[in-house]
Amino acid sequence: MLKGLMMDTPLAISALIKHADRHHGDAQIVSRRVEGDIHRCTYRDLHRRARQMANALGTLGVQTSERVATLAWNGYRHMELYFAVSGSGAVLHTINPRLHPEQIAWIVNHAEDKVLCFDITFLPIIEAIAAHCGTVKTWVAMIDKDRMPPSKVSLTCYEDLINANSDRYEWPEFDENLASSLCYTSGTTGNPKGVLYSHRSTLLHTYAAALPDALNMSARDAILPVVPMFHVNAWGLPYVAAMTGAKVVFPGAALDGKSLHDLFEAERVTVSAGVPTVWQGLLTYMEANHLKFSTMNRTVIGGSACPPAMLRLFQEKYGVNVLHAWGMTEMSPLGTACTLKNKHLDLSPEQRLAVQYKQGRVIFGVDMKIVGDDGGDLPWDGKAFGDLLVRGPWVLRKYFKEENVDPLRDGWFPTGDVSTIDPDGYMQITDRSKDVIKSGGEWISSIDIENVAVSHPAVAMAACISARHPKWDERPLLVVVRKPNAQVTKEELLKHYEGKIAKWQIPDDVVFVDSIPLGATGKMLKNRLREQFKDYRLPSA
Ligand code: ADP
């Protein structure tokens, strides 16, 4: 074998911040803080403080591969920890504060976090869990000395840690397969599972995510990640931003329509990313106040299916190109992104939209296939649907602390999603396998039913779940939240389906509710709804 003769430089997260400092040192990181103000710094400042924090972690006794947790909003301190913790060889464990405190304590104990850094908003959670989290030696409040909250838990001040430590720090070199960060799945069934990323997987994901046919990020962008940094590393955006040198705008805790729109405008944001439920709030606010975007030109929508009506509204009314993307925690998270090919450029606007509704093509590095019940490959004809399997260098191989269980199927990771793939390689999610409605042996996509519902002007949110039926086993039941002051009856809504989907797929009944329960990452909790409506008697039953 003739080996290549190129340098064997290990891929390391610290290289990202070094690069951003060296080549984009004056690019800005803007944060709306828990202090209530807008904070500005640069990549140079952020790198300096990350080095100070890396020294501080050393003084706290954090060793290579030990876990340092965060419970924090999107902001510059959180980003400093992204680089200080992973860059120094420890593991950054980002925790979702929207989980129940008991679940947070379970995760902290499972991860054996040694240090936990939190925004003071979350002090009540810390006070609820501290006594049950024996592995945590230091609780760090991410604030300055003057604003340290009184607490029965002994707290360390983040800014004191920074100030007390020198910025002289050389990022260590290590094997690129060293664990860098840890993220738990939402765990809608059973306990959450830990997904342990490495420096290598993170860097490869970052290169791929930045590509023009993926997230398409550059030094000319101002990125506002609405997707939280506790949700699969904000889909990798802090790393992508550092790699490209883009300006970053962090929204902190204010994710309502007005706060977001104000920030988009004031900071001349060009691109954003988030789940459909967040955009729903923003669009409702903008419509009510007749607002436009002056610089925003595109947004990434993923986490759950982007309703076609939302995609159309963004593009046609607001001039914001929508990038529909699909992925999961186990995939770092990016798997597919929906961008057009050269051959699509001559399509009519309607035909282009039909392509854009899909979850998209794999980004290079990810391999995907769909299989039937017998495990055999299904054709890529845009019609056959089956279990979606993936593999690649940023796809999970084993869950953390479950190394004796093989979650793969012949080396492929089963995503739990059901999808089609068309001849051009565009994947479209039909459903989460547990959400699909099995009506008399035929499958009905709950996503399709919901998309039609939210295209009705009076509907704010809709979830389609299965209800028991004596003849068909399951039939679709539509649960709907109306827009404020909007009126629509069950009959009108069902009529809205005519001609849009096959007759037998039209829901059997509609119930109007005040709200639909959302999970910790902003997705509709359909298992909660199924539980709530488990004894529901359909009029057709
Ligand atoms: P994330 O929400 O970041 O994608 P999770 O691991 O919490 O990560 O959830 C992954 C699941 O979310 C996927 O398996 C899929 O069911 C759903 N999902 C993600 N993106 C989309 C999308 N664009 N369309 C439909 N479902 C999606």
Side-chain angles (χ1 to χ4, degrees):
M1 183 181 75
L2 182 63
K3 274 189 128 184
L5 295 174
M6 310 310 282
M7 291 187 193
D8 196 8
T9 313
L11 300 173
I13 286 175
S14 57
L16 293 170
I17 191 62
K18 278 199 277 190
H19 173 86
D21 177 348
R22 184 80 181 84
H23 300 280
H24 306 278
D26 62 354
Q28 281 196 51
I29 321 285
V30 181
S31 312
R32 183 175 266 149
R33 305 198 285 186
V34 289
E35 284 93 323
D37 58 357
I38 298 276
H39 174 274
R40 285 170 200 282
C41 65
T42 63
Y43 279 112
R44 188 158 302 135
D45 301 328
L46 196 129
H47 186 205
R48 190 186 65 248
R49 284 168 53 92
R51 296 195 307 273
Q52 289 174 288
M53 185 44 74
N55 276 324
L57 294 172
T59 64
L60 296 178
V62 175
Q63 308 277 325
T64 302
S65 294
E66 284 188 332
R67 271 74 69 195
V68 174
T70 60
L71 206 54
W73 301 110
N74 290 5
Y76 67 104
R77 292 185 182 115
H78 206 171
M79 186 153 169
E80 288 159 10
L81 288 166
Y82 264 53
F83 294 106
V85 176
S86 306
S88 62
V91 175
L92 178 81
H93 172 206
T94 49
I95 306 176
N96 187 335
R98 298 198 184 109
L99 295 171
H100 192 274
E102 256 172 46
Q103 216 170 9
I104 294 179
W106 186 93
I107 290 175
V108 169
N109 287 321
H110 188 268
E112 298 176 69
D113 294 326
K114 182 131 197 218
V115 175
L116 194 151
C117 307
F118 64 96
D119 272 329
I120 54 169
T121 330
F122 303 121
L123 182 60
I125 301 179
I126 301 302
E127 299 197 322
I129 67 171
H132 311 288
C133 298
T135 63
V136 179
K137 301 291 172 246
T138 317
W139 302 91
V140 180
M142 294 162 70
I143 198 88
D144 58 32
K145 196 197 211 118
D146 296 343
R147 295 184 179 87
M148 280 293 283
S151 173
K152 57 180 196 228
V153 179
S154 161
L155 302 180
T156 300
C157 170
Y158 185 91
E159 292 299 331
D160 279 357
L161 280 178
I162 297 254
N163 293 332
N165 282 279
S166 152
D167 63 1
R168 259 184 295 161
Y169 183 86
E170 285 297 326
W171 298 108
E173 245 196 44
F174 33 66
D175 181 338
E176 63 184 21
N177 287 300
L178 186 76
S180 59
S181 41
L182 176 65
C183 202
Y184 282 75
T185 60
S186 321
T188 40
T189 49
N191 279 326
K193 289 175 187 290
V195 182
L196 190 60
Y197 311 106
S198 68
H199 286 260
R200 174 185 157 79
S201 71
T202 304
L203 266 279
L204 293 175
H205 179 264
T206 308
Y207 276 116
L211 284 172
D213 272 358
L215 304 183
N216 187 19
M217 301 285 174
S218 80
R220 292 162 299 289
D221 278 313
I223 308 175
L224 188 149
V226 177
V227 52
M229 290 166 80
F230 54 75
H231 183 197
V232 217
N233 303 318
W235 297 345
L237 287 173
Y239 305 120
V240 171
M243 181 179 273
T244 57
K247 172 177 174 178
V248 187
V249 184
F250 285 126
L255 301 178
D256 60 287
K258 178 176 185 335
S259 307
L260 284 179
H261 186 262
D262 287 354
L263 208 52
F264 282 135
E265 290 301 299
E267 297 302 328
R268 304 184 58 78
V269 170
T270 57
V271 55
S272 188
V275 296
T277 40
V278 164
W279 299 131
Q280 187 60 52
L282 176 73
L283 291 173
T284 307
Y285 168 76
M286 289 181 66
E287 271 187 275
N289 294 282
H290 313 290
L291 297 169
K292 294 266 176 214
F293 293 113
S294 29
T295 52
M296 251 270 273
N297 58 51
R298 57 200 204 279
T299 190
V300 185
I301 303 189
S304 44
C306 173
M310 175 178 287
L311 197 148
R312 195 183 272 273
L313 191 63
F314 258 123
Q315 296 195 162
E316 292 178 356
K317 182 157 180 199
Y318 296 106
V320 172
N321 193 49
V322 169
L323 180 75
H324 195 192
W326 166 86
M328 57 199 312
T329 307
E330 287 88 337
M331 299 178 71
S332 306
L334 227 52
T336 65
C338 198
T339 54
L340 301 177
K341 293 185 177 181
N342 180 277
K343 69 184 204 184
H344 294 129
L345 298 180
D346 293 331
L347 294 182
S348 70
E350 283 304 314
Q351 288 169 319
R352 281 194 199 192
L353 279 170
V355 179
Q356 283 192 289
Y357 295 152
K358 302 190 175 190
Q359 277 74 7
R361 302 180 274 128
V362 286
I363 47 177
F364 175 77
V366 175
D367 200 3
M368 70 176 174
K369 65 174 181 178
I370 42 174
V371 300
D373 288 339
D374 59 358
D377 275 30
L378 293 173
W380 289 22
D381 60 7
K383 294 189 192 78
F385 55 87
D387 291 338
L388 177 63
L389 309 185
V390 292
R391 63 181 180 190
W394 55 84
V395 177
L396 164 132
R397 177 163 53 85
K398 295 267 171 81
Y399 287 101
F400 182 47
K401 292 190 174 174
E402 292 191 13
E403 281 82 349
N404 48 359
V405 184
D406 180 10
L408 306 185
R409 258 195 249 164
D410 298 329
W412 291 76
F413 179 76
T415 63
D417 288 326
V418 177
S419 77
T420 60
I421 305 177
D422 73 16
D424 290 324
Y426 288 78
M427 184 276 287
Q428 183 161 29
I429 301 276
T430 313
D431 231 324
R432 196 99 193 114
S433 56
K434 56 184 188 295
D435 291 340
V436 77
I437 294 145
K438 295 177 183 119
S439 168
E442 296 289 342
W443 288 22
I444 301 175
S445 156
S446 65
I447 295 178
D448 285 351
I449 310 281
E450 288 155 10
N451 282 345
V452 176
V454 295
S455 72
H456 190 284
V459 174
M461 211 185 272
C464 179
I465 55 169
S466 58
R468 305 298 317 160
H469 192 283
K471 179 164 175 207
W472 304 110
D473 287 338
E474 296 177 3
R475 286 294 300 159
L477 167 67
L478 188 67
V479 183
V480 171
V481 182
R482 293 191 192 92
K483 283 189 187 159
N485 307 321
Q487 286 307 322
V488 61
T489 63
K490 166 183 161 181
E491 290 69 29
E492 284 161 352
L493 205 48
L494 292 179
K495 196 153 175 41
H496 181 65
Y497 277 89
E498 285 173 18
K500 297 196 175 76
I501 55 171
K503 246 197 172 122
W504 61 271
Q505 297 179 328
I506 297 178
D508 283 27
D509 203 5
V510 180
V511 262
F512 294 97
V513 293
D514 291 337
S515 66
I516 288 174
L518 297 181
T521 56
K523 301 186 201 202
M524 297 188 291
L525 285 179
K526 292 202 203 169
N527 52 341
R528 189 87 67 77
L529 282 179
R530 277 192 289 267
E531 181 59 29
Q532 192 179 332
F533 290 98
K534 72 177 191 300
D535 300 323
Y536 191 79
R537 256 189 82 83
L538 291 168
S540 57

